[in-house]
């Protein structure tokens, strides 16, 4: 038996495929635990072959349940890649995200002063219940009449009915299917409610308003109580939030990429605080909105990020919108720095995060949450195309084929935002001077990725450049 066979705790996390330094890999063996857009991207990638059994693999797009059960028992060769960091939840569980941000802000205040620490004031006042219940009550009483929102932080078993748009020779074939992940984060608005009276929390703690599913659980589920943003920025009277994608390929040193595309998710009903029980008013999740009686699937509830940026620029001017997007960039960087020393860095790991950002009427961005498994299931053909491009570019950066130099500042729709320090755009730096360095981020800007990729990437082995 070979040394690798003896070392491997979990079969399949290594490979016998050998290649010389700098030689492109001609065959990538992958496993995929999801049956949505990522499966299509992997299937159509030249030279990639799916491993359906427990055989050797080079690349694994797994769900977090697989990660938890198998990561610590897997031996991985140098080139192997997997789509999550071991303790990704330090940023993606709502309670831990806030804990790490608070600690990071205190560190900044101690080491760099209050002004620097104030750059972390982008998340609403938040408490973890039931452990911080008494502290929460004190804050609650300081502002009577305010609206708060409760969100669960634990994982539950859910079944999701999905619609899959499969690309076949430029046609989109719809497949209906059910997926049953073993453990996924509670999402799509489940378990979330707004409240203004303390008795609503007291009733909840006594199981008065908990669901039968919650009552059957062995222990009281942890929730976060968060001050609700009562003055959201509205378009056509409707509330929305932003879904933005950030790819981290390393935490030590921190290397993060920002995707140019994303979208705004709108509520289907005009915003009002008169009814805090109407989920169609207050929750922007597509899974919630599409169940509204007057939901129009043709129109949907999404704007592309470019469309939103153009709207805001036309209404408020470039001088106002440019600083807004710089503040959004600040959220990405500060949140990642807050967990940099906590996340277990591993050269085999990368993570595609889905950030949820809310704008208030003063155009201040707020971080709502970070998703370790942002939905890759398409809600429309346009949504499918966006996610397909996103995932394709993610694989370009992970670069299993060995086609990049490692010095790139842009790959497809991704721009390198942080590389052990801020990354600046090359254009015009020699004339602008060091005092006018421009961040290398282009959220909501033109995404001419196909042209850029043709210039950047060498052809796949056996392919001719088009």
């Amino acid at each position: 038996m070979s040394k690798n066979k003896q070392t491997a705790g979990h079969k399949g996390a290594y490979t016998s495929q050998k290649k010389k330094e700098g030689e492109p890999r001609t065959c990538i063996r992958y496993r995929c635990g999801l049956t949505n857009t990522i499966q299509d991207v992997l299937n159509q990638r030249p030279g990639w072959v799916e491993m359906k059994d427990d055989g050797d693999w080079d690349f694994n797009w797994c769900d977090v349940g697989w990660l938890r059960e198998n990561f610590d028992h897997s031996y991985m060769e140098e080139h192997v890649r997997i789509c999550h960091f071991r303790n990704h939840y330090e940023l993606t569980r709502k309670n831990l995200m806030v804990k790490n941000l608070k600690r990071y802000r205190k560190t900044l205040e101690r080491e760099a002063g209050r002004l620097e620490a104030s750059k972390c004031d982008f998340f609403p006042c938040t408490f973890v219940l039931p452990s911080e219940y008494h502290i929460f009550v004190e804050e609650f009483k300081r502002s009577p009449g305010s609206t708060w929102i409760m969100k669960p932080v634990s994982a539950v078993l859910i079944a999701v009915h999905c619609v899959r748009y499969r690309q076949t020779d430029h046609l989109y074939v719809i497949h209906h299917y059910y997926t049953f992940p073993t453990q996924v984060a509670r999402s799509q608005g489940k378990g979330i409610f707004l409240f203004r009276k303390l008795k609503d929390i007291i009733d909840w703690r006594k199981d008065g308003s908990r669901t039968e599913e919650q009552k059957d659980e062995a222990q009281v589920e942890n929730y976060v109580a968060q001050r609700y943003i009562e003055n959201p920025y509205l378009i056509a009277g409707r509330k929305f939030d932003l879904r933005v994608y950030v790819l981290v390929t390393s935490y030590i040193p921190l290397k993060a990429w920002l995707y140019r595309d994303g979208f705004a998710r709108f509520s289907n009903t005009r915003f009002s605080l008169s009814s805090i029980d109407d989920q169609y008013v207050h929750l922007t999740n597509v899974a919630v909105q599409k169940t509204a009686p007057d939901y129009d699937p043709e129109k949907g509830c999404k704007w592309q990020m470019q469309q939103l940026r153009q709207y805001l620029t036309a209404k408020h001017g470039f001088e106002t919108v440019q600083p807004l997007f710089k503040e959004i960039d600040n959220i990405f960087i500060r949140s990642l720095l807050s967990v940099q020393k906590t996340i277990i860095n591993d050269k085999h790991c990368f993570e595609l995060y889905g950030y949820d950002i809310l704008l208030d009427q003063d155009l201040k961005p707020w971080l709502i949450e970070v998703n370790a498994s942002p939905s890759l299931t398409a809600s429309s053909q346009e949504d499918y195309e966006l996610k397909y491009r996103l995932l394709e570019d993610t694989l370009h950066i992970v670069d299993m084929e060995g086609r990049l130099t490692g010095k790139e500042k842009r790959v497809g729709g991704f721009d390198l935002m942080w590389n052990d320090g801020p990354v600046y755009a090359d254009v015009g730096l020699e004339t602008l001077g060091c005092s006018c360095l421009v961040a290398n981020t282009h959220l909501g800007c033109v995404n001419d990725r196909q042209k850029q990729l043709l210039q950047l990437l060498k052809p796949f082995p056996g392919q001719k450049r088009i």
Side-chain angles (χ1 to χ4, degrees):
M1 183 177 289
S2 69
K3 182 179 179 180
N4 287 348
K5 295 282 185 180
Q6 291 173 328
T7 309
H10 179 269
K11 186 181 178 184
Y14 58 90
T15 178
S16 58
Q17 182 180 356
K18 302 293 183 182
K19 76 181 188 73
K20 296 178 181 178
E21 186 68 27
E23 179 185 331
R25 195 171 296 278
T26 56
C27 176
I28 310 297
R29 291 170 288 188
Y30 74 86
R31 293 194 66 179
C32 183
L34 303 178
T35 51
N36 49 35
T37 313
I38 182 59
Q39 183 73 60
D40 294 345
V41 175
L42 292 167
N43 281 341
Q44 297 172 37
R45 197 161 180 89
W48 288 51
V49 179
E50 184 172 12
M51 305 300 292
K52 293 185 178 292
D53 57 14
D54 205 23
D56 296 358
W57 49 265
D58 308 301
F59 179 93
N60 193 343
W61 195 288
C62 65
D63 59 42
V64 294
W66 186 98
L67 184 85
R68 183 178 57 253
E69 294 173 10
N70 298 290
F71 189 93
D72 291 336
H73 310 292
S74 300
Y75 170 79
M76 299 185 190
E77 294 239 9
E78 182 79 16
H79 71 282
V80 169
R81 295 293 180 269
I82 193 166
C83 70
H84 294 292
F85 286 93
R86 179 65 185 86
N87 59 336
H88 60 85
Y89 45 79
E90 291 287 347
L91 181 61
T92 57
R93 277 180 65 115
K94 300 176 185 71
N95 57 334
L96 297 180
M97 179 190 80
V98 171
K99 181 195 74 172
N100 286 313
L101 281 168
K102 286 179 178 178
R103 184 183 64 237
Y104 178 67
R105 184 170 58 185
K106 286 182 179 179
T107 301
L108 281 179
E109 186 171 351
R110 183 175 64 251
E111 297 179 354
R114 290 187 178 182
L115 181 61
E116 188 68 17
S118 68
K119 295 178 182 178
C120 293
D121 293 337
F122 50 70
F123 57 98
C125 181
T126 305
F127 300 91
V128 180
L129 303 186
S131 62
E132 297 181 333
Y133 177 76
H134 296 293
I135 306 174
F136 160 71
V137 169
E138 293 178 12
E139 180 63 29
F140 183 91
K141 291 179 177 178
R142 290 193 189 101
S143 52
S146 294
T147 306
W148 292 76
I149 184 168
M150 287 278 281
K151 303 176 184 180
V153 301
S154 68
V156 295
L157 178 66
I158 62 171
V160 186
H161 177 221
C162 303
V163 179
R164 179 177 174 192
Y165 292 76
R166 183 178 178 83
Q167 187 179 20
T168 309
D169 296 327
H170 303 291
L171 297 176
Y172 291 85
V173 183
I174 300 176
H175 300 273
H176 291 265
Y177 66 96
Y178 287 85
T179 177
F180 296 88
T182 53
Q183 286 284 329
V184 296
R186 197 188 276 270
S187 60
Q188 301 180 331
K190 293 179 175 63
I192 298 176
F193 62 93
L194 277 64
F195 65 96
R196 290 196 183 113
K197 298 178 180 178
L198 204 55
K199 73 177 185 65
D200 295 333
I201 302 298
I202 296 173
D203 291 343
W204 171 78
R205 292 184 78 207
K206 293 178 179 177
D207 288 355
S209 62
R210 301 178 77 209
T211 65
E212 290 302 317
E213 178 188 56
Q214 290 171 321
K215 290 176 183 179
D216 289 340
E217 292 177 2
Q219 62 185 59
V220 176
E221 185 175 12
N222 282 331
Y223 267 64
V224 293
Q226 195 170 73
R227 190 184 298 277
Y228 186 66
I229 298 173
E230 298 178 327
N231 62 333
Y233 187 96
L234 305 178
I235 295 180
R238 289 168 172 79
K239 177 183 173 181
F240 65 93
D241 69 358
L242 310 180
R243 166 55 60 86
V244 187
Y245 299 100
V246 173
L247 174 64
V248 175
T249 53
S250 169
Y251 269 99
I252 302 176
L254 179 61
K255 190 170 186 178
W257 303 75
L258 175 63
Y259 205 62
R260 296 188 175 198
D261 293 339
F263 48 85
R265 302 176 297 189
F266 285 81
S267 63
N268 196 59
T269 307
R270 294 178 68 87
F271 182 79
S272 171
L273 285 172
S274 59
S275 174
I276 62 173
D277 298 322
D278 191 339
Q279 61 180 353
Y280 301 127
V281 172
H282 301 287
L283 303 184
T284 59
N285 310 65
V286 176
V288 171
Q289 294 301 325
K290 69 182 181 182
T291 64
D294 56 344
Y295 176 76
D296 185 349
E298 293 297 321
K299 294 181 180 178
C301 289
K302 289 183 179 179
W303 272 14
Q304 297 301 308
M305 192 65 70
Q306 287 84 349
Q307 185 179 1
L308 177 68
R309 184 159 188 160
Q310 289 170 3
Y311 173 88
L312 294 174
T313 302
K315 185 168 184 179
H316 301 284
F318 176 83
E319 297 77 9
T320 300
V321 173
Q322 186 72 359
L324 163 63
F325 277 81
K326 287 182 67 176
E327 287 186 50
I328 295 176
D329 292 345
N330 175 68
I331 291 177
F332 304 140
I333 297 302
R334 299 286 179 174
S335 60
L336 293 174
L337 289 174
S338 75
V339 297
Q340 184 184 17
K341 296 179 180 179
T342 306
I343 296 288
I344 302 170
N345 190 63
D346 191 311
K347 62 186 176 183
H348 300 101
C349 302
F350 66 94
E351 193 100 38
L352 180 64
Y353 294 107
Y355 274 76
D356 292 343
I357 308 288
L358 181 71
L359 306 182
D360 67 21
Q361 64 186 14
D362 299 319
L363 287 180
K364 174 180 172 61
W366 295 89
L367 174 60
I368 303 302
E369 64 178 298
V370 184
N371 298 273
S373 300
S375 173
L376 302 178
T377 301
S379 58
S380 67
Q381 177 177 322
E382 185 179 41
D383 195 40
Y384 176 88
E385 292 171 347
L386 184 155
K387 289 172 178 174
Y388 192 99
R389 295 190 301 264
L390 165 74
L391 293 167
E392 201 170 39
D393 291 344
T394 298
L395 296 185
H396 289 326
I397 290 177
V398 175
D399 193 27
M400 295 296 296
E401 298 87 358
R403 298 185 295 165
L404 301 180
T405 66
K407 298 179 181 179
E408 291 81 6
K409 286 188 177 182
R410 182 186 176 190
V411 177
F414 277 107
D415 297 289
L416 185 59
M417 173 172 54
W418 191 270
N419 189 13
D420 203 20
V423 179
Y424 299 106
D426 293 327
V427 180
L429 291 186
E430 59 280 349
T431 57
L432 290 173
C434 293
S435 61
C436 299
L437 295 176
V438 178
N440 189 48
T441 53
H442 306 278
L443 180 61
C445 297
V446 174
N447 186 4
D448 54 340
R449 59 179 289 276
Q450 197 163 6
K451 177 181 176 182
Q452 197 270 344
L453 288 172
L454 284 173
Q455 296 173 345
L456 176 68
L457 296 178
K458 300 174 185 177
F460 285 105
Q463 272 191 327
K464 294 181 179 178
R465 184 181 289 277
I466 301 174

